[in-house]
């Protein structure tokens, strides 16, 4: 919104047809950013996390996780931890936005969310990448 607060809506569960006319749902923890157990919101709803009191100035989303850039240049992530695309040094799912500590002392100016990887650009022009590096998608040798 105009005050830099984040909202989300949608479904963090995907229905799947199984044999014998049974259906099941695959859940994507934290995808909506509203905390544990919130798997569907039919209208845009403000996230409970305030990004450390800073305004959100940018957002990037993939099918499994989201990133937010706050006015102080910090990066926050939430959703499925998978192969490390959340940037917290582990594969844990995050139900609400969590600050990426690797950027302490850096000012990030842009973020991007790929399928299983993330990118950030700092104010001094450095490009950071993390997550699943298959097929060279992280740009590391």
């Amino acid at each position: 919104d105009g005050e830099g607060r984040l909202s989300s809506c949608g479904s963090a569960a995907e229905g799947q047809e199984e044999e014998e006319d049974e259906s099941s749902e695959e859940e994507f923890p934290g995808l909506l950013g509203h905390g544990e157990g919130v798997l569907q919101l039919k209208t845009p709803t403000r996230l409970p996390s305030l990004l450390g009191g800073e305004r959100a100035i940018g957002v990037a989303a993939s099918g499994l996780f989201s990133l937010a850039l706050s006015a102080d240049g910090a990066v926050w992530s939430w959703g499925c931890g998978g192969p490390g695309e959340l940037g917290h040094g582990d594969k844990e799912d995050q139900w609400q936005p969590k600050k990426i500590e690797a950027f302490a002392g850096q000012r990030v100016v842009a973020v991007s969310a790929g399928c299983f990887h993330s990118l950030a650009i700092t104010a001094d022009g450095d490009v950071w990448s993390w997550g699943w590096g298959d097929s060279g998608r992280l740009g590391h040798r």
Side-chain angles (χ1 to χ4, degrees), residues 6 30-31 33 47 49 51 60 64-69 74-81 84-90 92-101 103 111 113 118 130:
L6 298 172
L31 188 61
L47 271 66
S49 174
L51 304 183
L64 299 173
F65 69 98
S66 297
L67 303 170
L69 179 60
V75 180
W76 300 72
S77 65
W78 64 96
C80 298
E85 66 265 31
L86 296 182
H88 303 294
D90 57 30
E92 297 295 315
D93 298 330
Q94 295 298 321
W95 286 92
Q96 292 183 328
K98 180 178 178 181
K99 188 176 189 178
I100 299 177
E101 298 299 333
F103 291 112
V111 293
S118 302
W130 62 97

Side-chain angles (χ1 to χ4, degrees), residues 1-6 46 55-56:
D1 68 12
E3 296 179 21
R5 294 174 293 199
L6 298 172
R46 253 189 218 129
R55 292 180 332 110

Side-chain angles (χ1 to χ4, degrees), residues 24 86 108:
S24 68
L86 296 182
V108 175

Side-chain angles (χ1 to χ4, degrees), residues 8-15 24-43 45 63-64 79-80 93-95:
S8 70
C9 66
S11 178
E14 179 180 284
S24 68
E25 289 187 346
E26 183 177 0
E27 294 180 359
F28 300 99
L31 188 61
L32 299 174
H34 287 269
E36 190 168 351
V38 179
L39 298 174
Q40 185 173 35
L41 296 167
K42 294 186 180 199
T43 60
T45 306
L64 299 173
C80 298
D93 298 330
Q94 295 298 321
W95 286 92

Side-chain angles (χ1 to χ4, degrees), residues 103-126:
F103 291 112
Q106 299 282 330
R107 181 171 182 78
V108 175
V109 297
V111 293
S112 181
C115 188
F116 297 108
H117 67 289
S118 302
L119 300 164
I121 300 173
T122 62
D124 51 356
D126 291 337

